[in-house]
Amino acid sequence: MSDLDPVIAERLKRNADGLFPAIVQQHDTGEVLMLAWMDDEALHRTLSTGRGTYYSRSRGEYWVKGATSGHVQHVRGVRLDCDGDTVLVLVEQQDGACHTGDRTCFDADVLM
Amino acid sequence: MSDLDPVIAERLKRNADGLFPAIVQQHDTGEVLMLAWMDDEALHRTLSTGRGTYYSRSRGEYWVKGATSGHVQHVRGVRLDCDGDTVLVLVEQQDGACHTGDRTCFDADVLM
């Protein structure tokens, strides 16, 4: 059971695993930094702590961005989309968001 | 079978339904407009036609953004993320991207 505000929880639509995608964007430059996954509790922790917090599908656990790397995300805003199935997290990203060291996860592989 | 370039297809990671999320961003302002889903064929059509083309999970069919609304997306770039499981589509969005008439799907519901 999550401590997420029930007024928010009732608007969310989750996949079969109880998750929804979170797009993470640098609040001032508009750079799309990464996409991660949340469940209700990850969203609650993001809103209540002001640190980008996600759910790892591969490890089956919560993770706070920057907890090991120091590349913390200070959350400046969170928005839910019109369908209630995706959130947009506006952050102040310390250093690179990508585990490769790049600024964003979308810097390296240009298809077009 | 999709006509997607096999060099791209081999780098993609798809969910159990063969899909991956596509973040759609206005190329110059940086606005995050919407999140939709693609399979290999939708990505192939997006790259080859230059029009944002997605797969509707609810209707089980491809859709070209703006085909009915006129709110077309002219594609200016496509990037694959570091994990190969999300694409970022940079577009010139005609009018509103959201079916509600809003400019983006993230304008209406501010959680924080």
Side-chain angles (χ1 to χ4, degrees), chain A residues 4-14 40 80:
Chain A
L4 181 66
D5 182 342
V7 175
I8 296 174
E10 74 184 7
R11 298 208 294 286
L12 286 175
K13 291 183 195 137
R14 308 155 190 87
D40 287 32
L80 184 62

Side-chain angles (χ1 to χ4, degrees), chain A:
Chain A
M1 214 28 213
S2 163
D3 288 327
L4 181 66
D5 182 342
V7 175
I8 296 174
E10 74 184 7
R11 298 208 294 286
L12 286 175
K13 291 183 195 137
R14 308 155 190 87
N15 71 12
D17 297 320
L19 303 175
F20 46 91
I23 302 165
V24 186
Q25 182 179 36
Q26 171 69 26
H27 72 99
D28 48 2
T29 65
E31 292 164 294
V32 173
L33 299 167
M34 52 182 264
L35 183 134
W37 292 81
M38 288 184 170
D39 64 2
D40 287 32
E41 179 63 19
L43 178 56
H44 169 67
R45 294 184 190 186
T46 295
L47 292 169
S48 60
T49 67
R51 296 292 178 276
T53 307
Y54 309 99
Y55 186 81
S56 169
R57 296 173 300 171
S58 56
R59 299 193 305 273
E61 63 182 18
Y62 297 101
W63 59 285
V64 179
K65 178 68 185 174
T68 53
S69 66
H71 300 181
V72 175
Q73 291 171 345
H74 300 272
V75 179
R76 298 298 178 86
V78 180
R79 296 174 185 181
L80 184 62
D81 82 343
C82 56
D83 294 327
D85 62 6
T86 304
V87 296
L88 177 64
V89 184
L90 304 169
V91 303
E92 173 67 39
Q93 171 70 55
Q94 300 294 312
D95 304 311
C98 188
H99 72 284
T100 64
D102 284 342
R103 174 66 180 168
T104 92
C105 294
F106 298 94
D107 286 345
D109 197 344
V110 176
L111 303 183
M112 171 181 170

Side-chain angles (χ1 to χ4, degrees), chain B residues 56-92:
Chain B
S56 169
R57 297 173 297 170
S58 56
R59 299 193 305 274
E61 62 183 19
Y62 297 102
W63 58 285
V64 179
K65 178 67 184 176
T68 55
S69 66
H71 300 181
V72 175
Q73 291 171 344
H74 301 272
V75 179
R76 299 297 179 85
V78 180
R79 297 176 183 180
L80 184 62
D81 81 342
C82 56
D83 294 327
D85 62 5
T86 304
V87 296
L88 177 65
V89 184
L90 304 170
V91 303
E92 174 65 39

Side-chain angles (χ1 to χ4, degrees), chain B residues 1 11 18 26 33 37 42 60 68 72 80 92-93 101 103:
Chain B
M1 216 28 210
R11 297 208 293 285
Q26 172 68 26
L33 299 168
W37 291 81
T68 55
V72 175
L80 184 62
E92 174 65 39
Q93 171 70 54
R103 174 66 182 169

